[in-house]
Amino acid sequence: TVTLNLTVNPVYTGGVQNEVICQGQSFTFGGTAYTTSGNYPFTFQSINGCDSTVTLNLTVNTVYAQNIQVDICQGDSYNFMGQTFNQTGAYPIVLNTIAGCDSTITVNLTVHNPQALFNAAPPVGCAPLWVNFTNISVPSGMSATWDFGNGTTASGDFVSTVYTLAGSYSITMTVTDAFGCVGQSTASNLIIVG
């Protein structure tokens, strides 16, 4: 008589392992690293030698990155998310999304400080003295307005005026850049008319 003792080992199927990661991370399952959302079945061999299938249900949450360009004038400041910035630079702000992943907003701040600079030629002479003024401001290309100290004004990069009375005259030039930032320079008693 032969007796057969037969043991039927169970096969496990339908098991689901739910995992959530953030974009840029990986999750290793069955010896494979996964980085994208999806369902990944894997067949394991159980302790008794039978195959068992478990499915990885992987969700990859988005990590957001955004750049914001901000231009301000010297002396101003920019407030963002409760932080105040007033110097040129890149300022990363790390936020935690509702899904628990870090997202970064980078504030790229440029502080504009136009420098009003000019030349005058000739600065000394007898009345009537014609003087030519040249805008040499930094950066170039800014609009310039002038007060010549003799009751006349002008706009432009190359301007002139005539001084008909003896005396000393102060010149004020104001420049405005493309961002609306203003620079001003006054040269006291620059023009001497004899």
Side-chain angles (χ1 to χ4, degrees):
T1 302
V2 175
T3 304
L4 175 64
N5 290 323
L6 180 63
T7 303
V8 177
N9 293 317
V11 173
Y12 300 102
T13 58
V16 175
Q17 182 176 346
N18 294 311
E19 296 293 339
V20 178
I21 62 173
C22 297
Q23 183 180 11
Q25 296 177 327
S26 66
F27 184 82
T28 302
F29 179 72
T32 302
Y34 296 96
T35 59
T36 57
S37 293
N39 294 312
Y40 303 99
F42 185 77
T43 302
F44 293 92
Q45 190 173 52
S46 70
I47 194 168
N48 296 315
C50 299
D51 290 342
S52 299
T53 301
V54 177
T55 300
L56 169 65
N57 179 18
L58 183 64
T59 301
V60 179
N61 289 325
T62 303
V63 172
Y64 300 95
Q66 182 179 3
N67 290 312
I68 299 172
Q69 177 62 46
V70 178
D71 295 279
I72 64 172
C73 300
Q74 181 71 35
D76 293 343
S77 61
Y78 179 73
N79 295 308
F80 183 77
M81 302 291 295
Q83 297 185 46
T84 301
F85 308 103
N86 60 12
Q87 294 182 12
T88 295
Y91 300 95
I93 310 295
V94 178
L95 305 172
N96 196 286
T97 66
I98 195 167
C101 298
D102 288 342
S103 293
T104 303
I105 298 174
T106 301
V107 176
N108 294 305
L109 182 68
T110 303
V111 178
H112 298 274
N113 185 20
Q115 303 295 309
L117 304 170
F118 63 89
N119 286 331
V124 178
C126 297
L129 176 65
W130 279 94
V131 180
N132 297 311
F133 296 90
T134 304
N135 176 8
I136 58 169
S137 299
V138 178
S140 61
M142 295 184 287
S143 64
T145 58
W146 304 79
D147 181 339
F148 299 117
N150 64 353
T152 61
T153 60
S155 297
D157 288 334
F158 305 99
V159 294
S160 61
T161 191
V162 61
Y163 293 91
T164 58
L165 300 174
S168 61
Y169 297 90
S170 298
I171 311 304
T172 299
M173 183 186 70
T174 304
V175 292
T176 305
D177 70 9
F179 301 96
C181 301
V182 175
Q184 189 175 71
S185 178
T186 298
S188 298
N189 301 317
L190 175 67
I191 306 300
I192 308 295
V193 180

